[in-house]
Amino acid sequence: MNIQYEDSTLPGSYGVVGSFPKSFGYGVEEPDLEESPTSADKPRILLMGLRRSGKSSIQKVVFHKMSPNETLFLESTNKIYKDDISGSSFVNFQIWDFPGQVDFFDPTFDSEMIFKGTGALIFVIDAQDDYMEALSRLHLTVSRAYKVNPDINFEVFIHKVDGLSDDHKIETQRDIHQRANDELADASLEKVHLSFYLTSIYDHSIFEAFSKVVQKLIPQLPTLENLLNIFISHSGIEKAFLFDVVSKIYIATDSAPVDMQSYELCCDMIDVVIDISCIYGLEDGSASAYDEESLAIIKLNNTTVLYLKEVTKFLALVCILREESFERKGLIEYNFHCFRNAIHEVFEVGSSNDGAAWRPVSSSSNRQPGLKYASLNGSAV
């Protein structure tokens, strides 16, 4: 099974939106952007914000495995780029990266086309810069988008916080939160809900934030969380994540609070498994570093065990448990088999052979699969 780890663009994954002012570099370069109904039907995530706020860096680090240090050499975005990442990731969305100089009042700006099919709008604010202009642009963007599509999830990434002290981070978030919501209230837009995240590409906070954004767009999320709760409660597991292996976004976790250190451990485990598989597990160029046989167990020196196992071509279950719980390995394996079958019931396998096989089913089928787990006392539940 093939997973791409190179920092290279998938063929045809980028396009330029053709309904914007020519001075922005839009136009006839890629006239086929609105070509296929399949592409048009995919939910969109928009990345917006002022110039040099870090939008393109976020996209490259999360979805294209670029090293954070390499993003220093990225040029400023002067076009709208559409990145369809569904061919190499479970996350079946398009990411649209907007240049900072987009003029919403330009008569050629097609708000209907941009915002109508959008699931989430991420506005990136540079926390190390004066953010008053960014807040004004945020208000303008949210107001315009909400009029077209009230169902959009509005997410604010307070970015580049790696250079700030903990007290400064908290104060910056409080100030931005207060000012942004006050402006919405003054414009009688109290119904608009903004979610705020402190992010940096130099740690796992950007993956954590993107995970929360993507989870809101998955109609099966309650079912997935319930399956994870049942699995860990019957297996003696402390914490479990369902990861998209390529992006390290977790699409679901159990109901226990997410500890950042635990999340970072699980992310690092995915990197270790893939790296070791690439070095020692590939016998020829046609093999894959991640497939149905992928399994890893790491025992830490504090009696904690990390357990990773393949669920689907793009998904991995990563668990944290104690060594004494891991002694019941047979029970865990059996319950995992039940969990894996349930996941296969929740998501359909598409007929395409290009790798993008997993597609969400409609929310009306958001039911609890009828599978039995084995409990710790040996009875079926």
Side-chain angles (χ1 to χ4, degrees):
M1 296 186 179
N2 220 1
I3 290 185
Q4 301 294 326
Y5 293 95
E6 303 85 8
D7 178 28
S8 60
T9 305
L10 298 171
S13 63
Y14 281 93
V16 182
V17 177
S19 58
F20 294 88
K22 292 282 196 302
S23 61
F24 286 172
Y26 316 136
V28 298
E29 298 175 71
E30 293 282 343
D32 60 338
L33 190 67
E34 300 176 49
E35 67 302 340
S36 70
T38 304
S39 177
D41 290 342
K42 291 180 181 178
R44 287 195 290 267
I45 297 177
L46 308 185
L47 274 173
M48 308 187 84
L50 298 183
R51 293 179 73 254
R52 310 305 299 177
S53 59
K55 305 181 296 294
S56 299
S57 299
I58 291 172
Q59 181 193 11
K60 290 291 188 181
V61 169
V62 174
F63 294 105
H64 292 279
K65 315 307 292 180
M66 178 178 281
S67 166
N69 293 326
E70 292 178 27
T71 63
L72 298 172
F73 306 103
L74 288 176
E75 295 182 1
S76 182
T77 303
N78 57 9
K79 300 175 182 178
I80 297 181
Y81 285 107
K82 182 186 81 168
D83 186 10
D84 188 341
I85 50 101
S86 61
S88 64
S89 172
F90 173 85
V91 184
N92 188 31
F93 304 118
Q94 295 176 335
I95 310 294
W96 286 22
D97 182 9
F98 281 70
Q101 68 269 31
V102 168
D103 183 4
F104 292 106
F105 296 104
D106 192 291
T108 60
F109 185 89
D110 191 347
S111 297
E112 285 284 332
M113 188 273 287
I114 290 297
F115 298 125
K116 203 65 178 177
T118 296
L121 189 158
I122 300 174
F123 195 92
V124 183
I125 296 177
D126 185 349
Q128 298 186 21
D129 201 0
D130 180 14
Y131 46 76
M132 293 305 151
E133 182 183 354
L135 286 171
S136 299
R137 179 59 64 91
L138 169 65
H139 178 74
L140 176 62
T141 304
V142 170
S143 303
R144 190 71 176 264
Y146 184 75
K147 290 178 182 177
V148 176
N149 183 3
D151 295 326
I152 293 179
N153 296 323
F154 294 103
E155 320 284 354
V156 180
F157 284 7
I158 304 171
H159 197 48
K160 302 183 183 179
V161 297
D162 49 277
L164 306 181
S165 65
D166 290 342
D167 290 342
H168 195 178
K169 289 179 188 178
I170 295 172
E171 177 59 28
T172 299
Q173 183 175 15
R174 187 203 60 78
D175 189 40
I176 291 176
H177 182 281
Q178 183 69 42
R179 291 176 183 272
N181 283 301
D182 285 349
E183 287 192 20
L184 290 175
D186 292 342
S188 300
L189 292 172
E190 295 92 345
K191 292 184 179 180
V192 178
H193 176 70
L194 303 179
S195 298
F196 296 86
Y197 308 87
L198 294 170
T199 62
S200 170
I201 60 173
Y202 291 97
D203 56 32
H204 292 84
S205 59
I206 190 61
F207 298 96
E208 163 83 0
F210 237 107
S211 297
K212 297 292 181 61
V213 171
V214 168
Q215 286 170 24
K216 294 179 184 179
L217 303 178
I218 300 176
Q220 299 83 3
L221 181 63
T223 300
L224 298 176
E225 290 179 344
N226 195 27
L227 287 171
L228 286 165
N229 284 333
I230 296 171
F231 173 70
I232 68 168
S233 65
H234 290 88
S235 306
I237 290 171
E238 295 186 353
K239 188 68 182 171
F241 295 91
L242 191 59
F243 272 96
D244 174 55
V245 175
V246 173
S247 64
K248 290 188 293 189
I249 287 174
Y250 68 94
I251 66 165
T253 186
D254 58 87
S255 57
V258 175
D259 173 56
M260 197 62 181
Q261 187 177 13
S262 299
Y263 173 64
E264 291 175 359
L265 273 175
C266 294
C267 286
D268 291 342
M269 184 183 190
I270 292 175
D271 288 335
V272 169
V273 170
I274 297 301
D275 290 346
I276 292 179
S277 296
C278 288
I279 296 171
Y280 299 107
L282 305 182
E283 297 179 359
D284 54 68
S286 62
S288 170
Y290 182 78
D291 56 28
E292 67 274 6
E293 300 296 327
S294 293
L295 166 67
I297 300 165
I298 298 177
K299 295 184 178 181
L300 306 181
N301 58 9
N302 60 353
T303 73
T304 299
V305 176
L306 303 179
Y307 178 81
L308 178 149
K309 199 165 175 62
E310 188 260 5
V311 177
T312 76
K313 180 174 182 176
F314 298 129
L315 296 179
L317 179 70
V318 185
C319 304
I320 300 175
L321 64 159
R322 295 294 172 188
E323 281 188 13
E324 54 267 26
S325 299
F326 193 68
E327 293 175 1
R328 306 184 185 92
K329 188 176 179 182
L331 174 71
I332 295 173
E333 292 285 347
Y334 174 80
N335 286 341
F336 172 80
H337 178 73
C338 295
F339 173 80
R340 186 180 183 186
N341 287 341
I343 294 296
H344 281 249
E345 283 190 40
V346 173
F347 294 101
E348 295 178 320
V349 179
S351 58
S352 62
N353 295 319
D354 60 358
W358 288 88
R359 296 290 180 265
V361 291
S362 65
S363 56
S364 62
S365 62
N366 191 13
R367 60 183 177 84
Q368 179 64 49
L371 294 171
K372 291 187 176 181
Y373 289 81
S375 65
L376 292 175
N377 62 10
S379 60
V381 181

